[in-house]
Amino acid sequence: MRLGVLDVGSNTVHLLVVDAHPGARPLPAHSHKEQLRLAELLDEHGAITPEGVERLVSVIGEAVQAAEDKGCEDVLPFATSAVREAPNADEVLARVKAETGVELPVLSGEDEARLTFLAVRRWFGWSAGKLLVLDIGGGSLEIAYGIDEDPDAAVSLPLGAGRLTSAWLPADPPDPADVKALRRHVRAQIARTVGEFSRFGAPDHVVATSKTFKQLARIAGAAREADGLYVQRDLTRKSLEEWVPRLSAMTTAERSTLPGVSEGRASQLLAGALVAEAAMDLFGVDTLEICPWALREGVILRRLDHLP
């Protein structure tokens, strides 16, 4: 069957169309993506602005049309942190349903972490042993740990690259004092969760997902996306420690010229690097592996698990 998963994230609205059936891996058939940057379309109270609502409704309408054009039997929509934390979320969701027909479920942060963990577990299999999974989104950082398909521990922290850039790094290039303050904030937030995970023992395999980690691995020398889905891509803490000062000294335009860095995400790369470096340091991770599957694939896999 052909399924679409509609991910309304803090950075992008992404429709992924796959051909899938129970017991088989989902095969990507089409991708429709619009960079909305919803995390930057919030007022001082965190509510989605009228402009943000208008753009969100328009982009979701386009994605629904794309899903129909590609022959999707069903579309699995969901929203993440930018909608989840907005004080006017109920109004926004009602507007989306009224104008597009899409009833948009909002995932909790823990659900995000658990579904991403499921995708990573299916990608690497049981032989990977105990997994520690890190995922940096636009609005939040998800961390999950476990040996089965459902993690033993899963948390979501408000440390997304888009959120932090908007709140902490207004200058371009960033003010060194702002970078130092953000680094301190990120490490304090992550440090509070380390004990919850360390009681389970050391992981056998540490994995990262998300565009942020993929771009950090690429600038640190990992293989290009064009080299294929199954090429192993790693990121080391040592390389991050070397890149953070360099990224701090760059403008957004300069970062956008780095290999694998898109113009739309260049502004967020430093904040993402600070979160990645802090997580790897505080969890004692020297090297992690990049997984091509993440939350969208987890949503699809969970749906397939519940088909007759």
Side-chain angles (χ1 to χ4, degrees), residues 150-164:
D150 192 41
D152 297 309
V155 300
S156 178
L157 302 175
L159 297 177
R163 177 201 298 267
L164 296 178

Side-chain angles (χ1 to χ4, degrees), residues 36 47 51 132 299:
L36 185 60
E51 177 194 358
L132 174 64
V299 169

Side-chain angles (χ1 to χ4, degrees), residues 29-73:
H30 177 70
S31 178
H32 176 91
K33 186 186 299 185
E34 186 71 31
Q35 195 161 68
L36 185 60
R37 292 188 181 179
L38 199 56
E40 298 175 15
L41 296 170
L42 307 176
D43 64 19
E44 64 272 17
H45 305 294
I48 300 172
T49 63
E51 177 194 358
V53 176
E54 290 291 340
R55 291 178 58 188
L56 178 62
V57 169
S58 174
V59 170
I60 289 178
E62 292 171 5
V64 170
Q65 184 61 55
E68 181 181 324
D69 292 345
K70 295 300 177 182
C72 289
E73 296 180 42

Side-chain angles (χ1 to χ4, degrees), residues 30-163:
H30 177 70
S31 178
H32 176 91
K33 186 186 299 185
E34 186 71 31
Q35 195 161 68
L36 185 60
R37 292 188 181 179
L38 199 56
E40 298 175 15
L41 296 170
L42 307 176
D43 64 19
E44 64 272 17
H45 305 294
I48 300 172
T49 63
E51 177 194 358
V53 176
E54 290 291 340
R55 291 178 58 188
L56 178 62
V57 169
S58 174
V59 170
I60 289 178
E62 292 171 5
V64 170
Q65 184 61 55
E68 181 181 324
D69 292 345
K70 295 300 177 182
C72 289
E73 296 180 42
D74 198 6
V75 176
L76 314 175
F78 65 88
T80 56
S81 63
V83 175
R84 179 170 67 235
E85 298 168 15
N88 62 337
D90 289 343
E91 300 167 29
V92 173
L93 295 173
R95 174 86 179 274
V96 167
K97 183 177 180 181
E99 298 197 24
T100 70
V102 174
E103 189 160 348
L104 190 62
V106 179
L107 295 181
S108 70
E110 184 176 323
D111 284 341
E112 282 191 61
R114 290 183 176 278
L115 287 165
T116 300
F117 186 90
L118 170 64
V120 172
R121 169 59 73 195
R122 293 281 178 92
W123 180 267
F124 286 103
W126 299 112
S127 64
K130 292 178 287 186
L131 290 172
L132 174 64
V133 178
L134 307 172
D135 183 351
I136 302 172
S140 58
L141 163 70
E142 275 69 51
I143 308 170
Y145 175 101
I147 195 167
D148 296 318
E149 291 198 337
D150 192 41
D152 297 309
V155 300
S156 178
L157 302 175
L159 297 177
R163 177 201 298 267

